[in-house]
Amino acid sequence: GIRRVYLDHSATTPVRAEVMSVMMPYFAGHFGNASSVHRWGREARAGLEDARDKVAALIGAMPQEIIFTSGGTEADNLAIRGTAWAKRPKGNHLVTSAVEHHAVLHTGETLEKEGFAVTYLPVDKYGMVNPDEVLKAITKDTILITLIHGHNEVGTIEPVKEIGAIAREHGITFHVDAVQSAGKVPIDVSDMNIDLLTMSSHKMYGPKGVGALYVRKGARLNPQTTGGSHERNLRAGTENVPGIVGFGEACRLALEELPTESARLTALRDQLIQGILSSIPDTVLNGHPTIRMPNHVNVSFRFIEGESILFKRMDSPSMNLDLMGIGASSGSACTSGSLEPSHVLLAMGLPHELAHGSLRMTLGKSNTREDIDYVLSVLPPIVSKLRDMSVFRQG
């Protein structure tokens, strides 16, 4: 049969067998409610707290600073809305970037409707925020700086440590969206001056529907879900114990394997980038060439209109790749199917036609050198066929 190559690990990852096996007992054997005081409750609570230790260890935090959520989006909302409203008496100004994930951008837009002011910082051609721009944007009313760490769409790694130092110096809360970077690049919340940090289980071989927000001891947050006193009164609702247990194990494995897996993925990434740039003319790498996620490739091809990549389903590269057994994407999974060109690529200064026509390939555990060789044999003819059909070429 046809070779199947999954290259969309930034969208989601499969749950690892080791993660599945630690989760299984918590569905039926240890099914208790972690808030119950009897034996069943205590068994669930033990699994929950063990997972909290493992999640904290991945980012150099204390276990009591980890708040479990339903995923990255909820954690971003809790961090941003929670800080904005808790610190409203001190000011109403937030600083973020033009290339954030929609979980951050749309939360900022909602806060603007509620009377907050948000500065969306520009980025350079690599999608990188300049710490000097952050410094310039700060006013006496600035209460929060929120920034992505490893970029979901173009793979660039932002200078969070430098920006965190600026935030710390000015007494401003600093939130980092580390959904893509946690478990793939080293993170130390103390060294990087981070007050709040978002993580998601399903980006690191854990189950979907669970994530965490790191909340530095002493940081003030208003809960966004009210009810019982779960998760230090910051997130009401009975905890998803099996999911959290799986997330904890996924974090433990990620930490243990980080140095070796990061090196392995970086080699595959560079093999793929070099292969594409050398075999397909008029191709641009999006994002920083070296300061980028170890597993991340994003390229744009000139002379292919974006519509054909995204929408004429039968002849777009992603669909052609799909027919060839390759799973890739044209940007964030959360926005695929939208007619708009990528807000990220436009912010980086790409012209519309290139911003429409990008291909994102994100590597993971299952990928091998043979996979990359296969992609490099399949992709060039697809691009050249589309260019032959393209109206851009002639006109």
Side-chain angles (χ1 to χ4, degrees):
I2 201 156
R3 188 181 185 98
R4 292 188 63 187
V5 180
Y6 182 73
L7 289 178
D8 205 9
H9 291 83
S10 288
T12 196
T13 56
V15 178
R16 295 178 65 165
E18 306 94 316
V19 169
M20 291 274 274
S21 66
V22 299
M23 289 171 71
M24 290 314 283
Y26 289 88
F27 286 107
H30 306 314
F31 65 87
N33 183 321
S35 300
S36 302
V37 292
H38 48 58
R39 168 181 299 177
W40 292 265
R42 292 196 304 274
E43 286 170 351
R45 168 66 57 189
L48 184 69
E49 296 311 326
D50 176 55
R52 207 183 299 278
D53 293 347
K54 292 171 178 170
V55 174
L58 180 61
I59 58 169
M62 294 186 291
Q64 63 270 30
E65 295 175 310
I66 300 297
I67 304 299
F68 289 114
T69 68
S70 66
T73 295
E74 190 197 341
D76 281 343
N77 275 261
L78 175 57
I80 296 166
R81 296 186 60 82
T83 302
W85 286 106
K87 296 182 78 174
R88 182 67 188 85
K90 291 176 76 170
N92 73 332
H93 181 235
L94 285 66
V95 176
T96 188
S97 84
V99 298
E100 296 302 308
H101 188 276
H102 280 134
V104 169
L105 286 183
H106 290 164
T107 303
E109 286 162 17
T110 303
L111 285 170
E112 286 179 294
K113 294 187 186 115
E114 296 170 7
F116 291 85
V118 183
T119 299
Y120 300 93
L121 297 171
V123 292
D124 68 11
K125 63 179 180 180
Y126 299 127
M128 187 94 65
V129 174
N130 183 339
D132 294 342
E133 297 278 348
V134 176
L135 193 56
K136 276 193 273 204
I138 292 173
T139 70
K140 64 176 188 354
D141 290 318
T142 309
I143 51 177
L144 176 69
I145 296 168
T146 175
L147 192 68
I148 199 163
H149 182 207
H151 201 277
N152 58 302
E153 197 174 317
V154 296
T156 298
I157 296 174
E158 300 291 342
V160 296
K161 182 177 175 172
E162 293 76 2
I163 292 167
I166 293 167
R168 181 65 45 86
E169 201 179 313
H170 290 78
I172 298 165
T173 304
F174 183 43
H175 167 245
V176 170
D177 178 347
V179 164
Q180 293 292 347
S181 58
K184 296 191 195 82
V185 297
I187 295 176
D188 182 321
V189 288
S190 300
D191 176 60
M192 294 161 92
N193 310 294
I194 296 168
D195 300 310
L196 303 165
L197 179 134
T198 295
M199 303 165 71
S200 173
S201 159
H202 79 103
K203 308 293 190 184
M204 52 171 106
Y205 310 94
K208 292 168 184 62
V210 58
L213 180 65
Y214 155 76
V215 181
R216 180 178 292 283
K217 196 169 180 279
R220 282 178 42 249
L221 279 187
N222 284 6
Q224 296 303 299
T225 312
T226 47
S229 62
H230 315 82
E231 298 302 297
R232 299 214 338 262
N233 281 308
L234 284 176
R235 201 275 187 182
T238 300
E239 294 92 350
N240 168 8
V241 179
I244 288 167
V245 166
F247 179 25
E249 185 65 5
C251 286
R252 187 188 71 76
L253 292 164
L255 182 60
E256 189 180 284
E257 297 166 3
L258 198 148
T260 48
E261 185 62 1
S262 172
R264 189 187 79 86
L265 289 171
T266 301
L268 291 181
R269 175 198 78 186
D270 292 344
Q271 182 195 351
L272 184 54
I273 291 172
Q274 292 333 122
I276 290 173
L277 295 182
S278 61
S279 65
I280 306 177
D282 294 304
T283 300
V284 184
L285 175 69
N286 296 317
H288 199 284
T290 55
I291 308 173
R292 74 184 293 129
M293 298 281 294
N295 69 322
H296 203 296
V297 178
N298 184 312
V299 288
S300 287
F301 305 106
R302 290 186 200 279
F303 314 121
I304 305 179
E305 65 276 24
E307 304 297 289
S308 80
I309 288 201
L310 287 171
F311 300 108
K312 285 185 197 139
R313 285 297 189 209
M314 290 324 292
D315 63 2
S316 70
S318 54
M319 288 314 285
N320 270 322
L321 288 175
D322 191 36
L323 294 173
M324 299 302 290
I326 297 167
S329 74
S330 56
S332 165
C334 308
T335 53
S336 57
S338 120
L339 277 158
E340 291 301 298
S342 155
H343 70 281
V344 175
L345 297 175
L346 292 178
M348 287 161 54
L350 264 75
H352 263 257
E353 61 274 14
L354 281 180
H356 253 311
S358 74
L359 177 65
R360 179 181 76 167
M361 290 174 281
T362 44
L363 304 151
K365 292 224 170 298
S366 63
N367 299 131
T368 61
R369 293 194 79 88
E370 291 73 27
D371 287 347
I372 305 304
D373 291 337
Y374 177 66
V375 173
L376 291 173
S377 71
V378 164
L379 188 58
I382 290 175
V383 173
S384 98
K385 187 178 108 202
L386 281 172
R387 283 176 172 167
D388 290 344
M389 295 161 52
S390 166
V391 295
F392 274 11
R393 207 56 197 256
Q394 293 103 34

